Amino acid sequence: MRRRATRLAGGVTLVTALAVALSGCVASERDPEGSGEGGGKDTFVFAASADPGSLDPAFASDGESFRVARQIFEGLVGVEPGTADPAPLLAESWDISEDGLEYTFHLKEGVKFHDDTDFDAEAVCFNFDRWANWTGLAASESLSYYYTHVFGGQGENGKYDSCAASDAATAVVKLKSPLPELVPALSLPSFSMQSPAVLEEFNADEVGGAEDAPELSEYATAHPVGTGPYTFDEWKTGESVTLKAFDGYWGEILDVKNIVFTVIADGTARRQALEAGDIDGYDLVAPADVDALAESGYQILNREPFNILYLGMNQKQKPLDDIRVRQAIAHAIDKEALAAAALPEGTEVATQFVPSIVSGFSEDVAQYEFDQDKAKSLLAEAGQENLELEFNYPTDVSRPYMPDAAAIYEAISADLEEVGITVTATPEPWSPTYLDTIQGSENHGLHLLGWTGDYNDTYNFIGTFFGAESSEWGFNDPDLFKSLSDARYADVDQQEAQYKAANEAVMEFLPGVPLASPVPSLAFTEQVQDYPVSPVQDEVYSVITFSE
């Protein structure tokens, strides 16, 4: 997925803001006594790796924005705790018509937005109509990525038709054509319910600047209002975001009454902040740090792997358009050794471009076992015994699927050298250039990238990668694209079989090598209890308790 710079109304570029990692800045956000009701700790300090891109989740597509948004906002659909499966949230239930064109949502009653206005069916329809009717920069992929990709576009170009309030507690959403993944997709923070009154008051949809550096409204930088357990308090760009418990919340808020997301870009600095007692926890623990932290008494919690790390092969760069060369590369890589050397304990070696827990995972995909003699034979057959390839990989980044890109590159390049493939390393900073190189140009050969699933749907993985022609992969295969589209819109009782067939077709074609589904790790002090680990990072802090 592309990630673009987003600017504050005042013109500060968020993704390039300087991350403040000094422990003194972290400590200044904390109550030194940590005192809440009855003298207990009530503030949870979590180290984020970057600023949020936007406080308006409808204009966000990055993990740090979503981490904050899940505390402030709620959607019609949530996620079953500990899984990637959809569950009721602001909608207590829903009915779907037989033709898949009408969704009737039965809403939770008595819910208030943070501005004390009512959450009801009229508010639901306001939000759906808002998403569908963006124009100009607001409708660009760089901002409304998820609406565009789920609903197919704004206005007449999209699948959304209308929304009507049957009564205060019933909203009926109509589509122009079926969208089988609508319910799980609505669990994304991008589809959170927001206060119509505040959206209008602060002109939330007035976006300035340019597509590659849009300037968001005052709403998206200082006035987000949802129905969630926490309200927005303060955003110090490059330093921290602070939230406070919402007294009128419809649910229960346990020990965490204040949240501070402090920005610490460097993984080593995050670990040091935990060891210094300046933070309570952080995400994306480096595999090399896990054992040492555990031995020192810190809690290590692992998310179930819901991601894919892969080696991409751009077929615009010859001879990667030759299936024999792609097969040789696949056979050359020792995935088991790669996982042991460069990925967290518990990592699943991948056989296809979806994790094993996703519906549509097939046991019958083509297997490319580690066999370097076979790799050499295939290269010889293709007339490529002294092959030289460029190998792109990112620097200055840790992702759930790629905790240490340089270590992964070293392991794979060594395997390729063994079969006679000489690689030229092309490291490039993740921000702002790596994704533009890989997904926005054809000037790359082999490359490392991956994906963390948004919700439990097969198309969210293989459709994201191979649903249409793209610069990342450099091929055009209408039959493959059609098979994925057919599976996406198939009847529910036929969909799993069609997705399995699509996965098998992808692995026969072999546009890249799926490597692994790593286990992302989080670290916490012993005092943090009941952290709601989620494979899709649907982690709301109202359920956390603190031990004495």
Side-chain angles (χ1 to χ4, degrees), residues 271 274-275 282 285-300 345 523-524:
R271 187 198 72 222
L274 181 70
E275 293 170 332
Y282 73 100
V285 180
D289 292 337
V290 168
D291 289 343
L293 285 171
E295 289 171 4
S296 296
Y298 295 97
Q299 299 181 74
I300 301 296
E345 186 176 349
F524 298 96

Side-chain angles (χ1 to χ4, degrees), residues 501-525:
N503 270 319
E504 291 158 17
V506 166
M507 291 309 297
E508 285 287 345
F509 182 68
L510 196 65
V513 183
L515 299 169
S517 294
V519 174
S521 297
L522 304 99
F524 298 96
T525 66

Side-chain angles (χ1 to χ4, degrees), residues 79-120:
V79 177
E80 192 68 35
T83 76
D85 300 326
L89 189 52
L90 291 179
E92 294 187 323
S93 63
W94 46 82
D95 305 310
I96 306 172
S97 62
E98 287 190 11
D99 61 6
L101 298 180
E102 186 172 290
Y103 288 70
T104 301
F105 293 97
H106 306 284
L107 309 179
K108 186 181 292 293
E109 298 185 60
V111 175
K112 293 281 189 181
F113 287 106
H114 300 157
D115 64 340
D116 202 38
T117 58
D118 292 331
F119 165 75
D120 55 19

Side-chain angles (χ1 to χ4, degrees), residues 301-440:
L301 302 181
N302 293 326
R303 292 194 183 98
E304 189 171 7
F306 195 64
N307 56 57
I308 285 290
L309 166 69
Y310 59 78
L311 178 72
M313 297 186 278
N314 175 21
Q315 293 179 41
K316 290 292 185 182
Q317 300 294 324
K318 293 182 179 296
L320 293 175
D321 59 335
D322 188 327
I323 182 62
R324 296 168 297 184
V325 172
R326 301 199 301 276
Q327 289 172 342
I329 290 170
H331 282 295
I333 298 171
D334 188 344
K335 298 180 187 178
E336 296 283 355
L338 170 67
L343 298 172
E345 186 176 349
T347 289
E348 293 183 3
V349 168
T351 62
Q352 54 208 276
F353 283 89
V354 298
S356 61
I357 63 173
V358 173
S359 174
F361 181 90
S362 174
E363 300 288 352
D364 298 321
V365 296
Q367 300 283 337
Y368 300 90
E369 69 280 359
F370 177 53
D371 187 337
Q372 293 194 325
D373 288 337
K374 189 168 186 177
K376 292 174 183 178
S377 176
L378 284 163
L379 289 171
E381 184 181 332
Q384 299 292 339
E385 293 176 275
N386 295 297
L387 180 58
E388 297 182 8
L389 293 172
E390 181 182 22
F391 193 147
N392 298 74
Y393 67 92
T395 61
D396 305 322
V397 69
S398 293
R399 311 302 291 174
Y401 51 79
M402 188 167 53
D404 187 340
I408 296 165
Y409 160 78
E410 291 291 346
I412 294 173
S413 62
D415 284 342
L416 297 180
E417 295 278 358
E418 286 292 323
V419 301
I421 299 175
T422 301
V423 298
T424 300
T426 307
E428 193 170 5
W430 177 267
S431 177
T433 55
Y434 184 74
L435 289 180
D436 283 337
T437 296
I438 301 305
Q439 298 178 326

